């Protein structure tokens, strides 16, 4: 069952991790949240999030992101826009996560 901080569910109900993961790999992907409806406690609109690799999630059109709790969860991919970030920003984002 998908763990969220909000009772309202707008994303697909996929399994999620209950352990915190540090995003330290240099090839991490990033995405900006463009829709946090129903997940206001977990996601901030216009914030950059670290995207963790998850082939099963991708098949279901979901993304595994490290949310505001510092944990990684699945959210519908259409809530995010993938972005490329410069190396200096990448290092800063990974240090903060």
């Amino acid at each position: 069952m998908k763990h969220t901080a909000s009772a309202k569910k707008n994303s697909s109900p996929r399994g999620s991790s209950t352990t915190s993961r540090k995003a330290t790999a240099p090839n991490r992907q990033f995405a900006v949240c463009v829709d946090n409806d129903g997940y206001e406690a977990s996601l901030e609109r216009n914030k950059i999030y670290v995207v963790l690799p998850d082939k099963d999630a991708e098949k279901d059109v979901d993304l595994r992101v490290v949310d505001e709790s510092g944990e990684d969860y699945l959210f519908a991919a259409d809530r995010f826009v993938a972005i490329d970030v410069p190396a200096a920003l990448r290092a800063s984002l990974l240090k903060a996560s």
Side-chain angles (χ1 to χ4, degrees):
M1 175 180 240
K2 184 176 190 174
H3 175 85
T4 62
S6 173
K8 185 178 176 184
K9 292 187 178 184
N10 286 338
S11 289
S12 55
R14 306 292 190 267
S16 65
S17 172
T18 57
T19 60
S20 181
R21 295 185 194 181
K22 283 288 185 185
T24 57
N27 62 350
R28 286 284 187 238
Q29 300 297 309
F30 299 91
V32 174
C33 176
V34 294
D35 177 10
N36 70 339
D37 290 345
Y39 292 96
E40 291 83 0
S42 301
L43 299 172
E44 289 183 34
R45 278 189 68 230
N46 302 318
K47 181 175 177 178
I48 299 171
Y49 287 91
V50 175
V51 178
L52 301 178
D54 186 327
K55 296 292 185 193
D56 290 332
E58 291 174 18
K59 290 177 191 173
D60 293 331
V61 195
D62 290 330
L63 288 179
R64 183 171 296 281
V65 300
V66 179
D67 74 0
E68 294 306 305
S69 71
E71 302 279 336
D72 60 281
Y73 294 102
L74 294 177
F75 294 96
D78 63 358
R79 292 181 176 276
F80 299 90
V81 173
I83 60 170
D84 290 322
V85 298
L89 177 56
R90 174 180 296 277
S92 176
L93 289 168
L94 291 174
K95 186 186 301 184
S97 65

